[in-house]
């Protein structure tokens, strides 16, 4: 999985640390998934809780970490999250979600359909030009190779991406020459960053095509986890309202859903002037 967390200071992070929070939420999610799967297989709740399974921690390089653990014990080890959850109630990063909304994941393998959807965003950005295409301009100006996700795609041991080849999008035509960018380059600019600063967040927000900038304050009753808004001050002191709307479509698969949520979280970080830490 690609883990990412918005680096907003809070009492939860102060107590657990960022990695501690990530580890606990991961373990809790794993316990819930295994428990539900066992129930679907016909086990009683007691049988499911007493089942021992192998927990695997996947790493990109090196050996996977394996351990045997009982479902009940994994729930017990993560019970402290219940005590901390109320702290998240009033956090602006948690609107419309369960607790710990600052931490989310994008699951592997990333589907071919999600890459096709991303390539559509790039095509639309190219057609519309600046500012929507500013990330594409950055990729070309800086000659971003897309090497990190290219390496993941070629990994013979694990399936990080469903497609064996990236999508290619023509972004510029000059006589006999076509300039293209690939979804490897786009994915690198989304996830292979370590820490995402505010300027880069803005690049991605424009690429998404989901933002409208207005000088009219929106009705707060419209705000949901899908519809977000923020008052952003420019260098001249003028305040504009950035409206961000990127809802799920009925046809979206799991990967597209994860990526759309990622874009929404990028907007949340941008609106609250926070960085994002990413581990792909």
């Amino acid at each position: 999985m690609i883990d990412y967390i918005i680096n907003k200071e809070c009492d939860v992070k102060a107590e657990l640390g960022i990695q501690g929070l990530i580890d606990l939420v991961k373990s809790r999610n794993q316990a819930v998934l295994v428990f539900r799967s066992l129930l679907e297989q016909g086990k009683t709740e007691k049988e499911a809780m007493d089942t021992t399974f192998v927990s695997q921690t996947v790493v990109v390089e090196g050996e996977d970490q394996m351990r045997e653990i009982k479902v009940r014990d994994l729930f017990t080890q993560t019970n402290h999250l219940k005590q901390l959850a109320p702290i998240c109630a009033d956090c602006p990063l948690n609107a419309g979600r369960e607790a710990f909304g600052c931490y989310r994941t994008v699951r592997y393998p990333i589907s071919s359909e999600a890459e096709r959807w991303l390539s559509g965003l790039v095509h639309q950005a190219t057609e519309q030009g600046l500012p929507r295409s500013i990330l594409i301009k950055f990729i070309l100006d800086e000659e971003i190779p897309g090497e990190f996700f290219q390496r993941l795609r070629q990994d013979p041991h694990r399936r990080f991406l469903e497609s064996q080849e990236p999508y290619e999008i023509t972004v510029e035509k000059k006589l006999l020459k076509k300039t293209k960018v690939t979804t490897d380059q786009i994915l690198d600019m989304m996830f292979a960053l370590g820490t995402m600063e505010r300027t880069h967040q803005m690049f991605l927000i424009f690429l998404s095509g989901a933002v409208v900038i207005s000088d009219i304050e929106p009705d707060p009753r419209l705000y949901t986890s899908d519809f977000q808004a923020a008052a952003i001050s420019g260098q001249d002191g003028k305040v504009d309202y950035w409206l961000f709307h990127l809802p799920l479509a009925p046809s979206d698969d799991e990967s597209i859903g994860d990526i759309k949520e990622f874009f929404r979280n990028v907007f949340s970080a941008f609106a609250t002037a926070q960085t994002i830490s990413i581990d792909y």
Side-chain angles (χ1 to χ4, degrees):
M1 291 192 296
I2 299 168
D3 298 304
Y4 62 94
I5 189 165
I6 301 173
N7 294 315
K8 183 179 185 297
E9 293 183 1
C10 67
D11 291 342
V12 175
K13 293 189 181 80
E15 178 169 338
L16 298 177
I18 289 178
Q19 192 58 52
L21 172 60
I22 291 172
D23 290 343
L24 277 180
V25 173
K26 272 187 175 182
S27 294
R28 188 73 173 189
N29 290 344
Q30 185 179 38
V32 170
L33 287 173
V34 172
F35 179 72
R36 288 176 178 171
S37 176
L38 291 169
L39 293 181
E40 291 173 359
Q41 294 172 28
K43 291 186 180 292
T44 66
E45 288 190 7
K46 183 179 185 306
E47 290 171 337
M49 292 293 278
D50 289 334
T51 297
T52 297
F53 71 101
V54 176
S55 174
Q56 179 181 18
T57 302
V58 179
V59 292
V60 175
E61 296 179 358
E63 296 183 0
D64 296 348
Q65 299 174 357
M66 314 283 288
R67 63 169 177 159
E68 289 189 356
I69 190 168
K70 191 177 290 187
V71 174
R72 185 185 307 279
D73 293 340
L74 197 54
F75 272 113
T76 300
Q77 291 175 13
T78 60
N79 273 344
H80 189 42
L81 289 174
K82 289 184 178 180
Q83 301 170 20
L84 297 174
I87 297 174
C88 300
D90 297 324
C91 178
L93 303 179
N94 216 52
R97 303 171 179 163
E98 298 178 0
F100 319 113
C102 60
Y103 165 63
R104 284 294 183 263
T105 61
V106 175
R107 289 161 285 190
Y108 287 130
I110 294 172
S111 69
S112 296
E113 186 64 17
E115 288 197 73
R116 186 198 65 77
W117 179 77
L118 282 174
S119 70
L121 293 186
V122 175
H123 176 73
Q124 293 164 16
T126 301
E127 292 291 312
Q128 293 181 21
L130 295 172
R132 187 170 176 185
S133 62
I134 191 168
L135 181 69
I136 301 166
K137 184 177 186 304
F138 179 82
I139 289 172
L140 297 178
D141 289 348
E142 299 299 321
E143 299 182 350
I144 304 298
E147 59 184 336
F148 298 107
F149 270 83
Q150 185 180 52
R151 188 169 70 241
L152 292 185
R153 197 183 299 275
Q154 295 172 351
D155 191 307
H157 305 295
R158 301 188 187 91
R159 196 179 182 205
F160 293 100
L161 296 107
E162 189 175 75
S163 176
Q164 293 183 344
E165 298 292 335
Y167 281 71
E168 292 186 342
I169 312 97
T170 298
V171 296
E172 190 177 88
K173 295 179 181 178
K174 288 183 179 180
L175 295 178
L176 301 177
K177 181 182 177 182
K178 291 182 179 180
T179 302
K180 299 181 179 182
V181 298
T182 70
T183 46
D184 280 340
Q185 292 167 292
I186 300 299
L187 289 167
D188 269 17
M189 289 293 91
M190 292 172 65
F191 302 122
L193 299 171
T195 299
M196 187 190 295
E197 304 286 346
R198 202 160 186 255
T199 298
H200 199 95
Q201 294 165 11
M202 183 178 64
F203 290 179
L204 289 177
I205 289 167
F206 282 129
L207 177 69
S208 73
V211 67
V212 174
I213 301 174
S214 171
D215 57 3
I216 301 173
E217 185 174 2
D219 186 341
R221 291 175 297 181
L222 295 174
Y223 299 176
T224 65
S225 58
D226 285 341
F227 183 93
Q228 301 158 277
I232 306 295
S233 297
Q235 293 181 346
D236 58 359
K238 182 178 179 292
V239 174
D240 287 315
Y241 297 95
W242 291 48
L243 317 178
F244 190 85
H245 189 220
L246 190 63
L248 287 174
S251 60
D252 288 345
D253 65 9
E254 182 180 88
S255 286
I256 295 176
D258 285 352
I259 291 173
K260 282 186 174 181
E261 183 175 51
F262 173 75
F263 276 122
R264 291 194 293 269
N265 278 292
V266 169
F267 182 81
S268 294
F270 178 79
T272 54
Q274 304 294 327
T275 61
I276 306 174
S277 293
I278 306 172
D279 182 3
Y280 68 100

